[in-house]
Amino acid sequence: MGRLQEIVYRYDVLPSTNDRARELAEAGAPEGTTVMAWQQTAGRGRQGRRWYSPPGAGLYHSIILRPPLPPVEAPLLGLVAAVALAETIREDYHLPADIKWPNDILVLGRKIAGILLELEADADRVRFVILGIGVNLNQTNFPADLGQPATSLRLETGQIQEADLFRTRLFARLDQWYTLLLGMGRTPILTRYSDLSSYVYGRTVQVEVPEGAIVGQTCGLTRSGALRLRTRSGEIEEIVTGDVKHLRVVAEDDNATSSSESQRP
Ligand code: BTN
């Protein structure tokens, strides 16, 4: 057993495993403490969205981490989880998992897993991070109002999936990549993420940021995992947080227009 999952709290129903993990972290729970639920009644996604969490159909986990990192490097932990998820789905389930920056896991343009990273920090050090991971395992349909196409491991493989097996496979990789990040620094995880994600280089995307929308071509990651975008004026913008939409460029000239998001790259 590695750093993670040494202490596990299992619940039948919780509003959100992230909220329970935060309470435990505030009370001093050690690194690696993991909260799991069979069902969430108020599962949360990024950007204030909800996370569809029906009983027994998905994995709903939150892990308490206490990494010796400055707050600016905390996004690297989301990259760790994204890489662990993408590797598990590719290598153990033989599906073409992609990572949409920052950490949506897609199979053929449909979302199969997501990560919600919540940070509690002082000015110069992380106090704790709650790493929330949701995986669609055995759902066979999804509500129409999720805002993006979704899929599950069962829909993609045609087979009912065992939660414990997925969890064991995922946690082995989480442990490995987290230990590597702390021991070797950021280069291995940035490199692996860039290999696994079709969004890191050469994609024309639109990113919604608080100031508006930025359109540009992706050109790599910064040292802390932000997305670099080359805009039409040639400037490089660094996107720290936001929602990325892939645009299909219709014409490559000054009047180039971009069609709406293609969810199936
Ligand atoms: C996203 O893609 O928007 C992130 C989804 C994260 C969902 C997980 S499920 C376990 C944990 N508890 C929550 O309320 N959210 C995360």
Side-chain angles (χ1 to χ4, degrees):
M1 176 101 47
R3 288 167 181 271
L4 311 180
Q5 253 196 323
E6 282 182 8
I7 303 173
V8 179
Y9 290 78
R10 284 177 188 261
Y11 295 86
D12 287 339
V13 185
L14 280 177
S16 158
T17 55
N18 264 40
D19 294 346
R20 181 66 190 126
R22 173 177 286 273
E23 288 170 3
L24 291 165
E26 296 283 9
E31 160 145 298
T33 302
T34 299
V35 176
M36 301 178 187
W38 173 252
Q39 176 186 5
Q40 296 185 118
T41 51
R44 291 186 284 112
R46 288 177 63 245
Q47 315 267 342
R49 287 185 285 256
R50 73 183 171 113
W51 186 256
Y52 177 56
S53 311
L59 288 187
Y60 319 116
H61 293 125
S62 299
I63 307 164
I64 298 172
L65 300 177
R66 297 184 182 277
L69 295 175
V72 67
E73 292 181 12
L76 294 171
L77 301 166
L79 272 51
V80 162
V83 163
L85 279 163
E87 284 188 346
T88 302
I89 294 169
R90 283 185 183 212
E91 293 167 14
D92 295 330
Y93 297 87
H94 311 292
L95 295 172
D98 192 9
I99 307 172
K100 180 160 90 90
W101 187 90
N103 39 38
D104 285 352
I105 310 300
L106 309 181
V107 171
L108 300 174
R110 294 175 182 272
K111 186 148 164 180
I112 199 162
I115 296 159
L116 180 65
L117 194 70
E118 295 182 320
L119 172 68
E120 197 60 44
D122 298 328
D124 57 347
R125 87 181 169 102
V126 170
R127 281 185 53 225
F128 61 79
V129 163
I130 307 298
L131 179 60
I133 300 178
V135 184
N136 298 333
L137 272 191
N138 284 312
Q139 288 91 335
T140 49
N141 49 53
F142 292 88
D145 63 351
L146 288 184
Q148 58 188 329
T151 190
S152 69
L153 222 48
R154 175 171 179 180
L155 286 172
E156 296 300 326
T157 60
Q159 288 165 347
I160 296 177
Q161 298 297 335
E162 255 186 65
D164 282 339
L165 182 59
F166 188 93
R167 183 178 298 122
T168 303
R169 291 168 164 172
L170 174 65
F171 272 77
R173 291 190 173 85
L174 278 173
D175 240 316
Q176 174 203 328
W177 281 106
Y178 184 53
T179 304
L180 200 64
L181 171 67
L182 298 189
M184 305 271 293
R186 54 186 117 194
T187 304
I189 193 67
L190 289 170
T191 305
R192 185 67 177 136
Y193 183 103
S194 303
D195 287 346
L196 289 169
S197 170
S198 73
Y199 281 77
V200 172
Y201 288 101
R203 280 258 186 155
T204 301
V205 298
Q206 175 172 316
V207 189
E208 304 295 336
V209 293
E211 301 75 35
I214 303 176
V215 175
Q217 198 172 55
T218 61
C219 56
L221 299 174
T222 68
R223 285 160 55 78
S224 52
L227 186 64
R228 299 176 76 243
L229 271 193
R230 179 172 289 108
T231 62
R232 279 228 182 95
S233 65
E235 278 171 39
I236 303 287
E237 297 270 356
E238 294 183 0
I239 312 296
V240 176
T241 181
D243 258 350
V244 169
K245 281 187 190 163
H246 174 222
L247 299 176
R248 255 179 306 127
V249 176
V250 179
E252 281 290 356
D253 59 31
D254 280 348
N255 299 318
T257 54
S258 302
S259 74
S260 60
E261 178 167 19
S262 160
Q263 284 285 358
R264 286 191 176 262

